[in-house]
Amino acid sequence: MSLDAAEPRRPARWRVLAAGLAGLAILPAYAALLGDVPGMAQPLTAIFGVFLAAYASAMVGFAFSALCAPILALAGLDALSLVQTLMICSIAIYGWSTFVLRRDLDFQALAPLLLGGLCALPFGVWLLLRLPEGSLHATVLGAMLFAYGVFALLRQPRPLRRPDRFGTELLIGATGGLTGALAAFPGAMIAIWCGLKPWRKERQRAVLQAYILVMQVAALGVIAALSGANGRTALPNGACFAYLLPAALGTVCGLEVFRFMTERQFGRSVNLLLVLSGIAMLLA
């Protein structure tokens, strides 16, 4: 009975994977079209970089911005446009991923994290609009993620005994609000925090992705509201939306890989992606 029930799913999964991989064939032609978009350089490298970053982040539920930022920096985007681009692609990636895992979403666990993040977000955006380009905040965050990821790979952290204290949840959520505004990367501390709880991988993914989705949408709105007062362009330009196609293709393929991962594989993948995210942010 179980084999008969599982059989109908397999062709559908492979069709999705085949469609995503076949879509890679159109990326070079798509990159050629983007060569005429003002403010973009090396579109082919950026397109494939966005695809790979979306693929990796769709497997574990975070780190798209950290992996993609140094690649998109080669595309000629200024700091504000770069953050807006990462946010727009993140909204598409995590919006679809959250919908796929909607049955595993724990609203009670999500609420304090979101409350803390939304309270800290305006201050993070205020800093983003005032800090000079080349500030060290991304470097510091990258070093912290690298160090923790290496530690977690070498020695698996034990689950927390009492991880659900409201004040602690607020504080963890607030850190995501700051890093989400400054680096379009709200999921770093949330991924670590969810990994320290005795949750299944689906529950971790659902809470993490819903948090990232809400924070990215809110951050775009706050940037639009505050950037006018700072004399900078508030609305994203055309280049900010140019990477949605490769991001969508990478998400479809990455989600299919996630379905086949064991809990142990998922945990190690999260820690490995923390290391890679830290390296990417150090190189950005």
Side-chain angles (χ1 to χ4, degrees):
M1 294 294 293
S2 60
L3 290 176
D4 293 339
E7 278 301 319
R9 294 185 179 182
R10 292 181 182 176
R13 288 179 177 178
W14 286 112
R15 281 199 298 269
V16 172
L17 276 173
L21 294 174
L24 287 174
I26 70 173
L27 292 185
Y30 183 65
L33 293 175
L34 294 183
D36 298 328
V37 176
M40 293 187 64
Q42 304 184 29
L44 183 59
T45 301
I47 287 296
F48 277 101
V50 169
F51 171 83
L52 292 175
Y55 179 85
S57 66
M59 285 195 297
V60 297
F62 73 105
F64 171 78
S65 297
L67 296 175
C68 208
I71 299 169
L72 288 183
L74 300 176
L77 299 178
D78 60 81
L80 180 59
S81 296
L82 176 61
V83 171
Q84 289 175 323
T85 301
L86 294 174
M87 289 178 177
I88 290 170
C89 290
S90 294
I91 289 170
I93 292 170
Y94 299 120
W96 174 248
S97 300
T98 301
F99 175 78
V100 170
L101 295 172
R102 63 192 181 278
R103 293 183 178 86
D104 297 288
L105 184 56
D106 185 340
F107 288 97
Q108 185 175 357
L110 176 63
L113 294 172
L114 276 180
L115 180 60
L118 292 174
C119 289
L121 180 63
F123 178 66
V125 173
W126 181 84
L127 288 176
L128 171 68
L129 297 175
R130 284 160 177 79
L131 287 175
E133 294 196 19
S135 297
L136 296 178
H137 57 272
T139 302
V140 173
L141 178 60
M144 293 173 59
L145 295 181
F146 176 81
Y148 178 85
V150 170
F151 168 79
L153 284 172
L154 297 177
R155 183 178 180 179
Q156 184 66 29
R158 296 180 180 179
L160 297 175
R161 293 182 179 179
R162 299 181 63 184
D164 299 323
R165 293 182 177 179
F166 188 79
T168 306
E169 300 277 350
L170 282 177
L171 180 60
I172 296 297
T175 62
L178 291 176
T179 59
L182 291 172
F185 191 16
M189 286 300 297
I190 311 303
I192 294 173
W193 185 247
C194 290
L196 293 176
K197 298 186 177 187
W199 290 355
R200 294 183 303 110
K201 62 186 178 75
E202 290 83 5
R203 187 181 180 189
Q204 291 184 45
R205 280 288 306 270
V207 171
L208 173 60
Q209 291 174 162
Y211 176 89
I212 296 174
L213 175 62
V214 174
M215 294 304 298
Q216 298 291 45
V217 173
L220 276 178
V222 174
I223 287 175
L226 296 183
S227 58
N230 201 45
R232 304 177 71 172
T233 302
L235 298 177
N237 56 33
C240 294
F241 295 91
Y243 300 100
L244 285 174
L245 176 61
L249 291 175
T251 301
V252 168
C253 296
L255 279 173
E256 289 303 308
V257 175
F258 167 75
R259 296 177 190 275
F260 295 99
M261 297 173 71
T262 65
E263 297 288 343
R264 181 177 177 83
Q265 290 171 338
F266 176 74
R268 294 189 67 83
S269 297
V270 168
N271 295 327
L272 178 59
L273 209 57
L274 286 171
V275 173
L276 295 177
S277 300
I279 294 174
M281 297 186 76
L282 290 171
L283 296 177

